[in-house]
Amino acid sequence: MNAPTGGGATMVGGPMIMEPGGPLRGRTRVPGDKSISHRVLMLAALADGESTIHGLSDGGDVACTRAIVEALGARVDAEEDPDGRQVLRISGGRLGPAQSDLDVGNSGTGIRLLAGMLAGLGFASTLDGDASIRRRPMDRVLEPLRAMGASVTGSGDGGALAPLAIDGGGLRGIEYRLPMASAQVKGCVLFAGLSADGPTTVVEDQPSRAHTEELMAATGIDVERTHDNGLDRVTVLPGRPTPFVHDVAGDPSQAAFWAVGASILPGSEVVIENVYAGPARSGFAAVLARMGADLFHDPVTSDLTVRAPSGGVLSATTVRADEVPGLVDEVPVLAVAAACADGETVFEGVGELRVKESDRLATVESELGRMGVDVRAEGDRLMVRGRAGSQLRGTSVDAHNDHRIAMACAVAALVADGPTTIDGWGAVATSYPMFPDHRATLLAGGIGA
């Protein structure tokens, strides 16, 4: 049976049918930042006392991390604030072994960060996840954890896949230079460093998201950040966070969908409330501005206002490899903007997208290609040749159970010549379950929940 969701979106026994439309107008609020949500749950679980978290992400990935800290012994009580946002009160500091394997669901961030935290705790744990997680590379965290003395056993060919069996404790502090820009690997090593016998330092050639070190410093952990000879160094001393209160800002990776939507639909004006504006997270906004979109991120309210280009036309650009760490999750939807821009947009150094929930270079190429986009992936580059004002083709696409591919196709559907059926839509629940409702509200020119 069809289940209407309003505003030109209909669920059909699993697939989602998205109707074209526009412009997008009004205000909306995206979920709390997913990356921050994982980390504050873990820090609250480690803190000895009660911490309070407002506005946690409501996606399935973060729900898995919440269930894991509860299984390890943290007490979590939930209520709502006057604005209808969730408030969690978490009593931590007394963690112990769970009664069963710990299920991260579809969360690559969750499994890698939790591997670091659990490696330092004096008991055995097993981290597992869905079929997608069991295909994603874990050697990038196993290598530094083993260098710290951790006993971690992976599965599959080469022993570098989930499930991960972790026998925690006995870690030593190390200096580790990241082979690639990765906030997940950095966070894993820093969480392990909280239980090591001396300082732990992560060295980066390219800066990645700074959530772990920012949040650790804000919760009383001794963190030092330096920059010298082109390298960023983050050092953490062993210890535990103090109980804290944190208000999770809106997720820029989710805001990017509405920013692109407003940029490609003439007459659009969207205000996205309270969007996180920290380092290595606003790259998508810089790219859209370079393409001609009108964006303003209010430094007081953190509201992000996006309008379609005044001339109505986006222009192609080149996204350099050194920009990618700050927008890697937004590449699929930026490819939609590129499809609606004059000229060829090139994304350089995006090979990391091949080991996400899907091979995102392949899925962007195949699914936007089905919609009539001239797109090709070659090695670690993605090229999109667009034409401003042209309609895409309404058709059936497959999200490959990847939430960002599904939502990127839903944004592309706004400028299609007919309905677009998106198979694999259920994956969106991992990060943005209210996406269809917010899309409908912005199409209606109202105020999103």
Side-chain angles (χ1 to χ4, degrees), residues 409-427:
C409 289
V411 173
L414 290 165
V415 293
D417 60 6
T420 299
T421 301
I422 305 171
D423 197 18
W425 183 261

Side-chain angles (χ1 to χ4, degrees), residues 43 46 189-196 200 216 221 236-241:
L43 290 167
L46 290 170
V189 175
L190 294 178
F191 267 103
L194 297 182
S195 302
T200 297
M216 285 183 172
I221 292 167
V236 64
L237 296 182
R240 290 291 180 262

Side-chain angles (χ1 to χ4, degrees), residues 59-293:
D61 281 1
V62 172
C64 286
T65 297
R66 171 182 167 178
I68 285 171
V69 301
E70 289 185 276
L72 294 170
R75 176 176 171 179
V76 182
D77 296 310
E79 57 189 62
E80 283 192 356
D81 68 14
D83 293 328
R85 295 195 309 160
Q86 188 181 67
V87 180
L88 296 184
R89 304 195 190 281
I90 301 177
S91 298
R94 295 173 178 80
L95 304 184
Q99 298 299 308
S100 60
D101 291 356
L102 302 169
D103 182 6
V104 303
N106 189 239
S107 179
T109 300
I111 194 168
R112 294 185 178 119
L113 294 180
L114 286 161
M117 185 184 85
L118 292 168
L121 302 181
F123 51 82
S125 305
T126 298
L127 284 167
D128 202 359
D130 66 9
S132 171
I133 283 296
R134 288 187 171 198
R135 292 191 299 267
R136 297 181 69 175
M138 295 297 143
D139 51 344
R140 57 188 59 186
V141 294
L142 298 182
E143 178 183 335
L145 290 178
R146 287 169 178 162
M148 298 178 76
S151 174
V152 187
T153 304
S155 306
D157 291 341
L161 301 175
L164 304 178
I166 302 169
D167 191 3
L171 302 186
R172 57 181 175 271
I174 63 169
E175 181 172 297
Y176 183 72
R177 186 165 178 171
L178 294 179
M180 82 292 286
S182 172
Q184 293 178 0
V185 178
K186 176 173 63 175
C188 169
V189 175
L190 294 178
F191 267 103
L194 297 182
S195 302
D197 65 359
T200 297
T201 299
V202 177
V203 182
E204 297 182 290
D205 296 286
Q206 288 183 301
S208 62
R209 297 177 182 182
H211 299 317
T212 303
E213 55 266 42
E214 286 179 342
L215 292 166
M216 285 183 172
T219 58
I221 292 167
D222 197 342
V223 178
E224 181 181 84
R225 290 174 281 187
T226 60
H227 180 81
D228 186 45
N229 293 324
L231 299 176
D232 290 296
R233 300 168 65 89
V234 182
T235 299
V236 64
L237 296 182
R240 290 291 180 262
T242 56
F244 59 89
V245 176
H246 188 87
D247 192 336
V248 182
D251 194 325
S253 295
Q254 315 299 4
F257 294 106
W258 308 129
V260 170
S263 299
I264 64 177
L265 288 166
S268 294
E269 181 174 347
V270 171
V271 179
I272 310 155
E273 298 175 357
N274 187 31
V275 178
Y276 176 81
R281 294 302 303 276
S282 58
F284 79 89
V287 170
L288 287 176
R290 201 158 71 222
M291 297 175 78

